[in-house]
Amino acid sequence: MCGIIGYTGNEDVREVLLDALELLEYRGYDSAGIAMEEEDAQETTVCKCAGRVRDLRQICTAEKSRRGCGIGHTRWATHGGVSDANAHPHRVGRVTLVHNGIIENYRELIRDYELEGALHSETDSEVAAALLDRFYDGEPVEALKQTVSKLKGTFALVVMFSDHRGVIYSTRNVSPIVATVSKQGGMLASDLTALCRFTSRYFVVPEYHVLELREDSVKLTDFDGKTVEPEYLKVDWELNSSGKNGYPFYMEKEIMEQPEAIIRTIENRVKGGMPDFSMDGVPDSLFTDCERICIIACGTAMHAGLVAQALVKSILHMHIEVEMASEFMYSDPVIDSGTLVIAVSQSGETIDTLEAVKYAKRRGARCLSVINVKGSSIARESDYVIYTNAGPEIAVASTKAYTTQLAVFYLIVARMAHSRGIFSAEETQSFIRELQRTPEVMEKVLKNRRDIHLMAKKVLGAKDLFMIGRGLDHSILLEGSLKLKEVSYIHSEAYASGELKHGPIALITADTPVVAAVTQDKLMSKELSNIREVASRGADVAVFIKESLAKGLEGEFALFALPDMRNEFMVMPASVALQLLAYYVSSDKGFDVDKPRNLAKVVTVE
Ligand code: AGP
């Protein structure tokens, strides 16, 4: 999704903007641009192009470094193709603007305000710039309020007015903007990754407020003209934790970081061997008063929800649904005050999930969210938040966020089981001890990653591939299959292995490799039958199997033995192995593992 940066201060504005855009590349984009105030004229210089930030650096040269004021943008195309003209910033008259989001009524605005003549691109964003210039009569705040009142959709607008030098203005609805002032000057961005080099404190620009950012001050005004104090938050990431630390790709670094990420997520939530959410301010009543649970999420976060669903059904024997956030509001969900909605999101900005949470709350549900990014939109919309302490996750393919989400769900299920009288204290402590073994078990998989790299060679040339398993293994493989699709572009399909013979087995040939997961004792024999069914039709099968179940199978299949855990925890070693499989296939194919084609790290458009 689009990345935004704004800076005004005494550092080299061109370098600050370009460096920050590089930190935002992980969000996914296809063009980039910056605009800077000219040194001695009430004008802005705009420099933009389709392509990467490195291409932008080539065309945006500067004779000398100079302090100043500027804005920058990485664009993930929505309205209008990938072209220099459609790249941001857009300048219309005295307005220079960048935008993240979607303005749904931009065509009506062009018609109603006769803006056609002012436009040089196909974008909805330039329409906002033209409208703003139309309303601008020398008063930026009033013009912004008037413009916003005409917009329908989601937007983070960041604007410079040529006759208001040194000041950057911003206003938003849904799409995020964070800001800060430090000794280097005033800075704002779409997310913390671009700010944390500058500061350890920041604030979120509240929706429907206007921010005036100067090099040494900020001013926040609500739409009634009232001045509002910014609510500063603390960046809890280590500044160097958003670097690659010597790994070729963030994805490998983040896979390797998982044991310590799990430790950071659980260490302050286990007291006396029992799960404890007092640091999060989550009351037990949230878990004891609900009659059913509804998990809402997208992508990998949704796959974490599927694992939680299996745990809730098998341990708590409760009704639970896992809803795809983008479908939720259109599926007539049965939501009421007895429903505990759990929203799961690494970024906390996925608009499908955010809108679903708002809808559920309107229907009377209480909402707990499991989020990685502090102060994000979904966190602010929720009644309660449990943060995964995975640290910044830069690779588009989510790994450590997923396993730390699982760790939070294990804590929640244990807390619920105990507070609802299903687990005794001893059973709860035993469950938590198994969770606390996760880091050491993950380390064993990571230590044997060379064997997984060899496994990866078996699927490297595949065009199509099946991943098969039953029960929890199927949920594990849904996530493993998404990882492989995302970063290697192999059409991988995870299928409940018992279902294959009802149709899809027709697709199995010697050219269709199969990856199988066998981690659940009670499902093993049926899973092996299904594996033999595909092997007898020529499929080359790679099996990720719980170590204690592998005896006697060594000669029959290519096996990777997963260190033993209790059945309900086997998703942890299995996930790390499947993440590595996807990573090695992609890196062996020579792809840009961290920035797969067409994908964005944060999906802020519906
Ligand atoms: C994960 O590998 C994907 N990049 C994607 O499915 C992601 O999980 C999904 O977009 C949800 O993002 P969120 O967790 O930030 O809400």
Side-chain angles (χ1 to χ4, degrees), residues 7 11-20 187 197-198:
Y7 173 72
E11 296 216 355
D12 179 346
V13 58
R14 174 185 172 279
E15 284 308 309
V16 167
L17 294 175
L18 291 170
D19 291 349
M187 191 170 216
R197 182 170 77 83
F198 269 88

Side-chain angles (χ1 to χ4, degrees), residues 127-192:
V127 173
L131 189 64
L132 181 56
D133 183 61
R134 178 68 58 83
F135 288 144
Y136 181 54
D137 61 1
E139 270 308 308
V141 175
E142 285 315 308
L144 277 164
K145 283 162 53 175
Q146 222 179 334
T147 302
V148 163
S149 69
K150 305 296 179 193
L151 302 184
K152 287 199 187 76
T154 60
F155 50 85
L157 301 177
V158 171
V159 186
M160 294 193 292
F161 294 87
S162 54
D163 51 356
H164 279 72
R165 294 176 64 77
V167 194
I168 298 173
Y169 296 83
S170 180
T171 188
R172 60 178 282 264
N173 168 41
V174 179
S175 302
I177 289 286
V178 290
T180 189
V181 171
S182 67
K183 57 183 187 313
Q184 287 96 337
M187 191 170 216
L188 59 77
S190 316
D191 72 53
L192 272 181

Side-chain angles (χ1 to χ4, degrees), residues 109-111 113-121 134:
L109 293 171
I110 294 173
R111 183 197 61 218
Y113 291 91
E114 297 170 356
L115 300 172
E116 196 66 53
L119 305 177
H120 304 284
S121 78
R134 178 68 58 83

Side-chain angles (χ1 to χ4, degrees), residues 229-447:
E229 278 309 306
E231 194 190 316
Y232 274 92
L233 299 166
K234 188 154 172 27
V235 180
D236 60 354
W237 294 342
E238 290 304 313
L239 290 192
N240 67 6
S241 62
S242 54
K244 286 187 202 168
N245 292 359
Y247 288 99
F249 293 105
Y250 280 109
M251 185 176 176
E252 183 175 3
K253 174 193 168 214
E254 289 155 8
I255 290 171
M256 299 302 287
E257 277 177 346
Q258 289 180 106
E260 65 252 30
I262 297 282
I263 291 169
R264 282 201 307 272
T265 298
I266 64 179
E267 61 187 351
N268 297 322
R269 294 180 174 125
V270 177
K271 297 216 169 60
M274 298 292 280
D276 182 306
F277 290 113
S278 46
M279 71 173 260
D280 309 287
V282 175
D284 269 357
S285 58
L286 193 69
F287 299 131
T288 51
D289 298 355
C290 65
E291 288 133 38
R292 45 208 288 279
I293 296 173
C294 177
I295 294 176
I296 304 176
C298 299
T300 290
M302 183 186 65
H303 293 152
L306 293 174
V307 173
Q309 181 181 47
L311 299 173
V312 166
K313 285 161 80 172
S314 62
I315 295 171
L316 304 176
H317 314 302
M318 277 181 74
H319 286 287
I320 176 168
E321 287 101 30
V322 178
E323 294 271 1
M324 225 179 268
S326 53
E327 294 288 311
F328 177 69
M329 290 186 285
Y330 313 106
S331 61
D332 302 319
V334 178
I335 295 284
D336 56 28
S337 56
T339 309
L340 170 58
V341 164
I342 303 180
V344 190
S345 175
Q346 186 286 129
S347 63
E349 298 299 345
T350 299
I351 191 164
D352 290 324
T353 310
L354 175 63
E355 293 307 308
V357 164
K358 290 177 181 175
Y359 177 90
K361 287 187 67 184
R362 287 196 295 272
R363 301 283 297 274
R366 284 196 292 177
C367 180
L368 164 67
S369 61
V370 179
I371 304 277
N372 194 38
V373 178
K374 284 210 169 24
S376 50
S377 301
I378 297 171
R380 294 201 310 281
E381 191 61 42
S382 303
D383 300 306
Y384 301 96
V385 186
I386 298 177
Y387 285 110
T388 53
N389 298 328
E393 187 177 74
I394 306 298
V396 164
S398 186
T399 50
K400 61 178 183 174
Y402 171 70
T403 49
T404 51
Q405 287 158 2
L406 295 178
V408 169
F409 275 120
Y410 283 113
L411 291 168
I412 289 173
V413 168
R415 187 80 204 170
M416 286 187 84
H418 184 61
S419 51
R420 295 169 80 101
I422 297 167
F423 273 3
S424 66
E426 295 70 31
E427 287 168 320
T428 308
Q429 288 164 341
S430 157
F431 191 83
I432 293 299
R433 278 196 298 276
E434 190 67 353
L435 174 60
Q436 290 170 318
R437 282 187 57 231
T438 302
E440 78 186 64
V441 169
M442 284 181 160
E443 289 292 2
K444 288 183 186 162
V445 177
L446 295 171
K447 227 183 245 82

